[in-house]
Amino acid sequence: MSDKRVRTRFAPSPTGFLHIGGVRTALYAQLLAKKHGGIFLLRVEDTDQARMVPGAVENLCRTLQQLNITPDEGVWLDENGAVTERGEHGPYTQSKRQAIHQKYAQELVAMDKAYPCFCTAERLEELRQTQEITKRPTGYDGHCRNLDKQEVQNRIANGEKHVIRLKLPKEGSVTINDVIRGDVIFDWKLIDDQVIIKSDGMATYHLASMADDHDMAITHVIRGEEWLSSAPKHVFIYEAFGWELPVFAHLPLILNQDKSKLSKRQGDVAAEDYLQKGYLPPALINFLALLGWNPSGEREIYSHDELAELFNLEKINKAGAVFNLEKLNWLNNHYLRLLPDEEYLALINPHLPAAEQDLEFKNRIALLFRERLILPSEISVWSEFFFADKLDYSAVKLNWKDHSTNEAIERLKAAKTWIAELTEEQEHDAGAIETIIKDKIQTQGWGNGDTLWPLRVALSGAEKSPSPFELIATYGPKRSLARIDEALAFLLK
Ligand code: GLU
């Protein structure tokens, strides 16, 4: 396998939104391909037409591309946002590969590795009920496994409805070699003769996916662990055709904090919801990559490129990985802080009041709260007081501890003169403002607390806020003075 070019795939069924766990699967497939200078492709598995959701393909491509998990080959969204395909192993949409799947199914029948089955839904239902009543394992009883060849031909010629099933061994065992789990042994007798072509002529996942993986020269099948129990059927198909097996990697589940399977009930599972909320692609990538895999143990921050350099399937944990939202939040805050100012401001701006026309004022506010934000939308709560017409001073005390109101008035009046004296260079420089004001306080023989508290509350109307120096620098002198006048009017009332 080592001399072959690595080719991985993500093969979602477009039956709704893209699950965050699916993004991790896609990411791992992309990282492995990138690491080896290989190809990552996207194949749409839409053989179950009844479960198709309109727009789901666009949606999943868009989400992947926003996260920079853009396929090198297969289905993708072009510059105009239209679903299209590229590559030489197409079509990459399974419903367009029906004839290919049919051909493989017929070959399996010809090799006696599969057989047409005419059992009706009623018969199968009766069978299931009898098995349940008699406490036998449920499953297909092989009724059509050994029908006379001529009879089969006649019934098909008569247009009788049928499916095609794999003719799996009934004894012995099969060993699946999984990179993550090692050898996993399955007893053939516990595995049902799987339907590979449905009565509507469409292939099921088991045939379609294996045939396509082979035709698309996939070297590594990276998929969710729910498929591990189906792997024997898949290996059977590969071996029936004499194809070289791909490397299998069945990824562990993603779990809620209480160790249950990650579900909608406990939070968001749709990847696009995270993007819409303002989680940044590099934060999501960093977070998802480390969900069940870690190259070292200590380090938490990795860029997409670094992940691709370090990635390996062998270090993926067998155990389920707990989805820790706090860690994602921490990462998002980290990546928000790393953004170039211009990008950061563009993200924050839509969350500030459109009615406020002073863009520089808004930008100063955005930068002031940068360190504290987990999500861009939080800025609206943090910054509310900056935009309020009037602050409500009745809810907080303007005077410091047991100091008098008159003293607060005196301090605020003095602060007004200090602010009015700021030069243009100083007026938005919190550091300079701090030095000047602390100096003035000292000259007056006042305390920091009894001066800075009334000043800060006058500017914010709140118990807690950034320092008065940061507030003055952010407001600018004019707005600062107006706020202090507002507080004085309240105190002098
Ligand atoms: N269509 C399958 C799914 O969405 C793909 C599984 C696989 O990767 O083989 O679960």
Side-chain angles (χ1 to χ4, degrees), residues 9-15 25 43-46 94 205 209-210 213 221-224 226-227 234:
R9 90 302 194 269
F10 179 51
S13 304
T15 53
T25 307
R43 179 173 71 229
V44 170
E45 301 210 326
D46 59 346
Q94 274 184 340
Y205 167 76
S209 201
M210 294 312 109
D213 281 345
V221 170
I222 301 170
R223 59 186 181 184
E226 66 273 23
W227 296 111
H234 304 158

Side-chain angles (χ1 to χ4, degrees), residues 55 104 143 250 300 396:
Y104 281 129
H143 187 74
H250 290 94
E300 301 278 9
V396 316

Side-chain angles (χ1 to χ4, degrees), residues 204-474:
T204 60
Y205 167 76
H206 306 281
L207 176 63
S209 201
M210 294 312 109
D212 294 352
D213 281 345
H214 171 260
D215 284 1
M216 295 176 189
I218 297 303
T219 55
H220 296 73
V221 170
I222 301 170
R223 59 186 181 184
E225 83 174 2
E226 66 273 23
W227 296 111
L228 180 62
S229 59
S230 299
K233 304 168 208 171
H234 304 158
V235 168
F236 177 85
I237 294 174
Y238 262 84
E239 287 180 346
F241 287 110
W243 296 336
E244 187 181 348
L245 279 175
V247 172
F248 284 108
H250 290 94
L251 303 181
L253 289 176
I254 299 181
L255 308 172
N256 293 306
Q257 296 281 358
D258 66 2
K259 302 282 164 79
S260 58
K261 192 173 163 190
L262 189 69
S263 69
K264 253 190 205 170
R265 259 173 294 126
Q266 298 202 24
D268 292 316
V269 290
E272 60 174 315
D273 289 350
Y274 286 91
L275 287 168
Q276 246 157 33
K277 280 194 175 162
Y279 286 99
L280 301 172
L284 283 163
I285 293 295
N286 194 151
F287 174 72
L288 289 172
L290 299 191
L291 213 49
W293 171 80
N294 202 315
S296 63
E298 294 292 300
R299 212 175 127 190
E300 301 278 9
I301 304 288
Y302 294 93
S303 71
H304 206 144
D305 285 341
E306 286 171 329
L307 291 167
E309 246 167 65
L310 296 166
F311 190 72
N312 57 359
L313 293 172
E314 291 75 16
K315 279 210 170 157
I316 296 174
N317 298 328
K318 281 197 226 11
V322 173
F323 190 96
N324 180 349
L325 188 63
E326 265 169 44
K327 185 163 170 202
L328 175 59
N329 286 341
W330 177 79
L331 283 167
N332 211 54
N333 167 273
H334 172 83
Y335 283 98
L336 266 181
R337 284 189 277 133
L338 284 190
L339 282 182
D341 283 358
E342 218 170 291
E343 272 179 53
Y344 169 75
L345 294 173
L347 275 181
I348 299 298
N349 195 272
H351 301 284
L352 295 175
E356 174 58 61
Q357 305 281 310
D358 185 345
L359 187 61
E360 283 188 13
F361 177 44
K362 283 162 102 170
N363 286 349
R364 289 196 299 271
I365 291 170
L367 292 170
L368 175 62
F369 292 110
R370 185 174 189 151
E371 308 282 303
R372 295 163 227 237
L373 295 183
I374 289 170
L375 294 172
S377 56
E378 291 169 353
I379 191 80
S380 55
V381 178
W382 285 104
S383 67
E384 209 178 354
F385 67 87
F386 274 114
F387 301 101
D389 283 344
K390 288 255 170 283
L391 295 182
D392 179 10
Y393 296 109
S394 60
V396 316
K397 257 177 53 194
L398 274 151
N399 36 327
W400 172 244
K401 294 193 172 159
D402 53 353
H403 291 238
S404 70
T405 300
N406 278 344
E407 196 186 86
I409 294 171
E410 178 188 41
R411 307 295 200 256
L412 289 176
K413 284 185 173 166
K416 279 185 65 184
T417 62
W418 306 335
I419 293 170
E421 285 167 10
L422 291 174
T423 65
E424 232 173 85
E425 241 167 64
Q426 295 163 339
E427 64 189 29
H428 297 303
D429 179 344
I433 295 171
E434 176 166 1
T435 312
I436 293 167
I437 291 187
K438 284 193 170 158
D439 210 43
K440 301 271 187 194
I441 293 173
Q442 217 179 11
T443 313
Q444 294 289 342
W446 294 339
N448 275 340
D450 56 66
T451 313
L452 298 178
W453 176 271
L455 182 55
R456 199 187 54 69
V457 175
L459 293 163
S460 65
E463 247 345 281
K464 286 193 179 129
S465 77
S467 74
F469 322 113
E470 291 172 298
L471 295 178
I472 293 165
T474 306

